[in-house]
């Protein structure tokens, strides 16, 4: 139990800005095992984001509350995944060879592709999440719990889609200097089963109220498949930035899927 707590806090330290015990560090072995808790980190980030939304919605409009939820989400993770998304936009937008793409993605400066990508990403998140939250307005007294599950399931499932790439593809960079290199090692059934357990549970709870929401798994993992194939084609695998970009894109796809399922199924 003590070792599992250490692994969990390692995951929490690596993927968020939430303070952890002082004895926790970025030990490569623990980082490798920490992937099993990556979707669970989504529970935490989603819960904090929902809390910001709920408190803001008591005094402000739904749209403004969603903006505060997005801000808190970014602050909680330190824009960890958004940064990866911007780097992927810059790298694949401006590079035409594996070497050039990897060099651009490693550059800390943000380019035009990254800036434009982030603006469009947040616009989509804001609009889709605002509309998704509004869907539950006319429901019963459990509406608040359903909105909470919407936030948590979006963060958990998108993180599952991202981290699952390391189970099926190879790490692209040859150097060991990348901060994401330790999580690219071989994984056991504990990492795989833990990721899927924590990634799917919130959606299963949400689907209790409307079972059709389970269909959101299909577009999310279709997007995950095409992103992984795209990364494989251009850079022979993935990097940490690719995982961050996958998480962000799959989160948006999830919100869009929930909307389409509600309206047409």
């Amino acid at each position: 139990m003590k070792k599992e707590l250490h692994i969990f806090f390692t995951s929490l330290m690596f993927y968020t800005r939430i303070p952890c015990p002082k004895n926790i560090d970025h030990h490569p072995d623990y980082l490798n095992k920490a992937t099993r808790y990556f979707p669970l980190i989504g529970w935490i980030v989603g819960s904090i984001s929902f809390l910001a939304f709920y408190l803001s919605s008591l005094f402000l409009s739904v749209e403004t509350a969603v903006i505060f939820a997005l801000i808190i989400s970014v602050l909680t993770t330190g824009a960890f995944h958004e940064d990866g998304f911007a780097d992927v936009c810059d790298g694949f937008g401006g590079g035409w060879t594996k070497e050039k793409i990897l060099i651009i993605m490693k550059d800390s400066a943000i380019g035009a592709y990254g800036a434009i990508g982030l603006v469009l990403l947040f616009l989509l998140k804001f609009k889709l999440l605002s509309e998704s939250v509004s869907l539950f307005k006319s429901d019963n007294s459990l509406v608040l719990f359903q909105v909470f599950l919407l936030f948590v399931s979006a963060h958990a499932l998108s993180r599952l889609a991202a981290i699952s790439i390391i189970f099926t593809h190879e790490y692209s960079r040859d150097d060991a200097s990348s901060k994401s290199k330790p999580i690219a090692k071989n994984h056991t059934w504990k990492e795989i089963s833990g990721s899927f357990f924590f990634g799917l549970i919130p959606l299963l709870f949400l689907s209790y109220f409307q079972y059709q929401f389970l269909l959101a798994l299909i577009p999310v993992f279709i997007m995950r498949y095409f992103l992984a194939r795209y990364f494989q084609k251009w850079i022979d695998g993935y990097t940490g930035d690719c995982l961050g970009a996958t998480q962000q894109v799959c989160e948006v796809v999830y919100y869009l899927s929930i909307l389409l399922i509600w309206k047409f199924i």
Side-chain angles (χ1 to χ4, degrees):
M1 178 60 70
K2 184 177 180 180
K3 182 178 180 180
E4 285 301 316
L5 280 174
H6 194 125
I7 295 172
F8 167 74
F9 280 119
T10 299
S11 182
L12 189 67
M13 171 181 281
F14 189 74
Y15 295 115
T16 74
R17 295 292 179 86
I18 297 174
C20 294
K22 293 182 178 180
N23 65 314
I24 304 300
D25 57 18
H26 293 98
H27 190 279
D29 186 47
Y30 284 119
L31 271 179
N32 186 51
K33 292 180 173 64
T35 54
R36 72 185 70 166
Y37 293 120
F38 186 36
L40 180 59
I41 300 303
W43 293 27
I44 298 172
V45 177
S47 298
I48 295 173
S49 182
F50 167 77
L51 182 61
F53 167 80
Y54 172 68
L55 294 177
S56 301
S57 66
L58 296 177
F59 311 99
L60 305 167
S61 67
V62 170
E63 290 76 12
T64 306
V66 166
I67 293 175
F68 276 106
L70 293 176
I71 292 173
I72 293 300
S73 175
V74 170
L75 291 176
T76 302
T77 63
F80 191 68
H81 311 299
E82 289 83 358
D83 178 65
F85 174 81
D87 286 341
V88 165
C89 290
D90 282 331
F92 288 88
W96 291 99
T97 64
K98 174 182 177 179
E99 292 72 23
K100 186 63 176 176
I101 291 171
L102 292 176
I103 289 173
I104 294 175
M105 284 200 294
K106 203 165 187 177
D107 189 347
S108 59
I110 188 171
Y113 290 107
I116 294 169
L118 283 176
V119 169
L120 296 176
L121 175 76
F122 279 111
L123 282 175
L124 270 174
K125 271 192 185 184
F126 165 72
K127 185 61 177 175
L128 293 175
L129 186 53
S130 297
E131 291 188 22
S132 297
V133 168
S134 299
L135 293 177
F136 298 95
K137 273 191 170 181
S138 59
D139 254 357
N140 54 36
S141 58
L142 292 175
V143 58
L144 200 58
F145 182 58
Q146 294 178 59
V147 174
F148 166 74
L149 289 175
L150 174 69
F151 274 82
V152 175
S153 59
H155 284 272
L157 185 61
S158 60
R159 281 164 171 77
L160 169 60
I163 208 65
S164 67
I165 291 179
I166 72 173
F167 304 142
T168 58
H169 292 71
E170 295 294 326
Y171 191 72
S172 179
R173 294 190 187 276
D174 295 325
D175 62 283
S177 61
S178 172
K179 64 181 179 181
S180 298
K181 179 68 174 179
I183 71 171
K185 298 179 180 179
N186 292 328
H187 296 275
T188 68
W189 65 269
K190 290 183 179 180
E191 283 71 57
I192 297 173
S193 60
S195 296
F196 276 87
F197 176 80
F198 292 119
L200 295 176
I201 285 295
L203 178 59
L204 292 176
F205 274 104
L206 182 62
S207 65
Y208 171 81
F209 300 98
Q210 188 165 333
Y211 72 91
Q212 291 93 335
F213 284 155
L214 281 174
L215 294 175
L217 283 169
I218 298 174
V220 167
F221 276 91
I222 287 177
M223 178 57 70
R224 178 265 183 209
Y225 167 78
F226 280 108
L227 285 172
R229 192 174 75 165
Y230 183 75
F231 299 146
Q232 182 67 36
K233 174 184 176 182
W234 284 98
I235 61 173
D236 301 319
Y238 70 91
T239 67
D241 288 329
C242 295
L243 300 183
T246 300
Q247 186 277 318
Q248 290 292 294
V249 173
C250 286
E251 183 182 343
V252 169
V253 170
Y254 178 75
Y255 295 136
L256 178 61
S257 302
I258 293 295
L259 279 173
L260 294 178
I261 290 169
W262 187 285
K263 292 183 178 180
F264 300 109
I265 298 180

